[in-house]
Amino acid sequence: SAVISQKPSRDICQRGTSLTIQCQVDSQVTMMFWYRQQPGQSLTLIATANQGSEATYESGFVIDKFPISRPNLTFSTLTVSNMSPEDSSIYLCSVVKGQGAFFGQGTRLTVV
Amino acid sequence: KNQVEQSPQSLIILEGKNCTLQCNYTVSPFSNLRWYKQDTGRGPVSLTIMTFSENTKSNGRYTATLDADTKQSSLHITASQLSDSASYICVVSAGGSQGNLIFGKGTKLSVKP
């Protein structure tokens, strides 16, 4: 199993500002995944964070909007840049160990 | 196109009653199917995971079934409790990349006293 500590758990931000979300895993993992969950919707993969290389972004997501850092095998950050109300969502980090996928507690972001 | 469809979208039951949630998928190749419980504003927590060869798996009052031929799964909750109120998400792994997970939209379960 894996335990992921994600913070902040929630934030209310002004439009045009940026928020950085952090995830710390209790063990080393090759890949970490960042998801967005808009109200009433399923999880959508934003990007895969690889240690030592650029993150891989899914269609519709770009690095300028969602820059990701992965300085080591247990930590990653996702920044939501130049926020607008449409960015209000729950953001989740995840890792896969064995057959299981494990998630952080989520960050509930509200942009006003 | 890989898809996971869940039904019903929402469900209200009385405390102590049983319920069954459905998941149909069209995912290929198939690696495994997972059920998660997601409390409001929290991250999903794994309930069960089943591979192709497994038909049923239990976790306390939660029992998941898998029919790989019809590509259907169900999650049965027995003797529901107020704390079971949450969204239940069916997730199918398409194998290959570890991040190749296909998420259903979830069933929102409300257990009333």
Side-chain angles (χ1 to χ4, degrees):
Chain A
S1 68
V3 177
I4 305 174
S5 175
Q6 181 176 346
K7 58 182 180 181
S9 59
R10 58 174 60 221
D11 208 341
I12 300 173
C13 301
Q14 296 289 326
R15 65 179 68 199
T17 63
S18 298
L19 176 71
T20 295
I21 303 167
Q22 300 180 4
C23 273
Q24 179 77 49
V25 189
D26 67 342
S27 57
Q28 293 183 340
V29 291
T30 305
M31 292 187 284
M32 293 180 70
F33 305 94
W34 287 97
Y35 290 89
R36 180 175 72 183
Q37 187 178 27
Q38 295 178 306
Q41 300 296 313
S42 61
L43 280 70
T44 299
L45 182 64
I46 298 172
T48 302
N50 308 296
Q51 195 272 331
S53 65
E54 288 281 330
T56 304
Y57 288 83
E58 298 299 307
S59 175
F61 298 97
V62 296
I63 188 172
D64 290 344
K65 177 66 175 177
F66 297 102
I68 286 172
S69 78
R70 186 81 201 276
N72 57 54
L73 290 173
T74 63
F75 187 80
S76 179
T77 68
L78 170 77
T79 298
V80 186
S81 302
N82 189 24
M83 289 183 284
S84 66
E86 292 72 32
D87 294 321
S88 297
S89 284
I90 296 174
Y91 293 84
L92 296 144
C93 61
S94 173
V95 301
V96 174
K97 291 203 77 174
Q99 288 184 327
F102 302 90
F103 294 85
Q105 301 95 320
T107 297
R108 181 183 286 273
L109 171 62
T110 302
V111 183
V112 297
Chain B
K1 180 182 177 183
N2 288 333
Q3 281 188 316
V4 175
E5 301 284 345
Q6 290 187 244
S7 62
Q9 185 175 7
S10 62
L11 181 63
I12 301 174
I13 62 173
L14 293 176
E15 185 180 12
K17 298 296 185 182
N18 304 334
C19 67
T20 300
L21 314 180
Q22 299 291 342
C23 174
N24 297 336
Y25 62 92
T26 53
V27 177
S28 182
F30 173 88
S31 178
N32 56 65
L33 184 146
R34 314 149 190 234
W35 282 94
Y36 286 86
K37 177 185 178 186
Q38 185 178 21
D39 293 314
T40 301
R42 307 289 292 177
V45 175
S46 180
L47 295 175
T48 63
I49 179 169
M50 290 182 291
T51 59
F52 184 87
S53 59
E54 296 176 290
N55 301 118
T56 184
K57 183 164 282 188
S58 292
N59 178 1
R61 294 180 297 103
Y62 302 101
T63 299
T65 65
L66 174 64
D67 186 332
D69 291 330
T70 62
K71 299 187 177 181
Q72 296 179 326
S73 176
S74 66
L75 180 70
H76 187 74
I77 304 175
T78 304
S80 61
Q81 301 175 357
L82 299 179
S83 59
D84 292 331
S85 296
S87 288
Y88 292 83
I89 304 173
C90 176
V91 183
V92 179
S93 173
S97 165
Q98 290 182 315
N100 201 6
L101 302 179
I102 315 300
F103 290 82
K105 291 187 176 182
T107 293
K108 186 174 178 65
L109 175 65
S110 297
V111 181
K112 303 294 186 184

